[in-house]
Amino acid sequence: MEEKLVLPGEKITTEEEFAGGANTYTEEGVVYSTVIGIPSVAEKKMSVVPLGRDVKTIDRNMLVIGTVTDMVKGIVFVKIDDINIDHKEYLALKDGKILLERPRPRFGRGPQRREAQKPERVCSVGDTVLAKVLYNDKDAYTLTLDCQECGVVHATCELCGGELEYNKDANALVCKECGHREYRRVSALYEKPEEIRKLFVYSQ
Ligand SMILES: [Zn+2]
């Protein structure tokens, strides 16, 4: 049998084929895994051999770090990093997406209306973002940047690729190399990897 990794809640067989064994549960004749692991058949039972004691999946309300890979029509696509905290490993087996709130259309006239419809530049492709998991959907995580520490934590200049530094007075990111200014939803933990690490250790 092919060695295929299954996730908690993933269907592994039906009772017509095999009864559920260790690390499974059965609902309406369908056998699901309760752990991350490899399904294995023994004595007409389908069990799941856990991948490792301390391997977990990223789930709702957890904080994640990822890289923005694409932005299409108000959806930000994020490649989520695996997280390793105090010898516990959290696997990101799916990508994440952030749905940007669209500004409500106003029925006024003139520049004010255009201003209101101009979407805020929350992040850019290539940015590193700190986000929270809103929903753990079947094929992707839905993330949000609406949490205290969430936002962009690392970014580079769109013109020269230099490091962007947060300038409090300008409330903008300024390139260390060429001085170019860019705007983002900047996290309070921008360029503070050590504090981000602490946050992960104490919050998850
Ligand atoms: Zn630059």
Side-chain angles (χ1 to χ4, degrees):
M1 191 180 165
E2 189 192 348
E3 294 230 320
K4 179 184 167 279
L5 196 67
V6 294
L7 302 177
E10 190 168 330
K11 177 186 165 181
I12 48 171
T13 187
T14 58
E15 276 190 311
E16 285 176 10
E17 292 177 88
F18 299 105
N23 301 311
T24 69
Y25 66 95
T26 305
E27 244 177 44
E28 292 177 1
V30 179
V31 182
Y32 301 91
S33 178
T34 58
V35 294
I36 302 175
I38 311 285
S40 153
V41 179
E43 294 167 11
K44 293 181 182 172
K45 278 186 180 176
M46 177 75 84
S47 302
V48 180
V49 180
L51 195 64
R53 199 163 35 117
D54 289 331
V55 177
K56 296 179 177 179
T57 43
I58 288 168
D59 211 345
R60 278 184 78 174
N61 296 320
M62 280 185 69
L63 290 170
V64 293
I65 288 269
T67 307
V68 176
T69 55
D70 205 358
M71 292 175 73
V72 183
K73 291 179 180 170
I75 303 172
V76 178
F77 294 89
V78 181
K79 171 94 185 68
I80 301 176
D81 296 344
D82 292 338
I83 305 167
N84 206 320
I85 317 163
D86 282 353
H87 311 294
K88 254 186 282 172
E89 208 180 336
Y90 293 87
L91 297 182
L93 297 159
K94 296 174 277 189
D95 287 338
K97 60 185 181 198
I98 303 168
L99 308 177
L100 299 178
E101 320 92 63
R102 284 162 192 256
R104 283 183 201 164
R106 284 204 207 157
F107 298 100
R109 281 185 190 178
Q112 209 182 352
R113 185 182 169 208
R114 239 170 303 162
E115 186 72 23
Q117 287 188 327
K118 197 178 137 207
E120 181 200 0
R121 191 167 180 196
V122 172
C123 53
S124 274
V125 172
D127 287 358
T128 306
V129 291
L130 178 63
K132 192 173 187 175
V133 178
L134 263 189
Y135 304 110
N136 183 358
D137 300 323
K138 202 161 180 268
D139 41 45
Y141 292 104
T142 302
L143 309 175
T144 179
L145 294 178
D146 288 326
C147 84
Q148 207 188 341
E149 300 86 0
C150 291
V152 174
V153 293
H154 176 78
T156 53
C157 176
E158 61 184 356
L159 298 185
C160 76
E163 301 271 315
L164 293 175
E165 208 169 26
Y166 181 61
N167 182 305
K168 204 178 170 187
D169 297 329
N171 191 24
L173 296 173
V174 181
C175 178
K176 287 182 190 175
E177 308 293 328
C178 74
H180 177 64
R181 273 187 191 194
E182 299 189 30
Y183 296 89
R184 303 281 204 280
R185 189 176 297 175
V186 179
S187 164
L189 302 180
Y190 188 83
E191 292 296 5
K192 292 177 181 164
E194 190 49 34
E195 292 193 28
I196 293 171
R197 200 192 66 84
K198 278 188 208 159
L199 182 72
F200 275 89
V201 170
Y202 294 116
S203 71
Q204 322 268 37

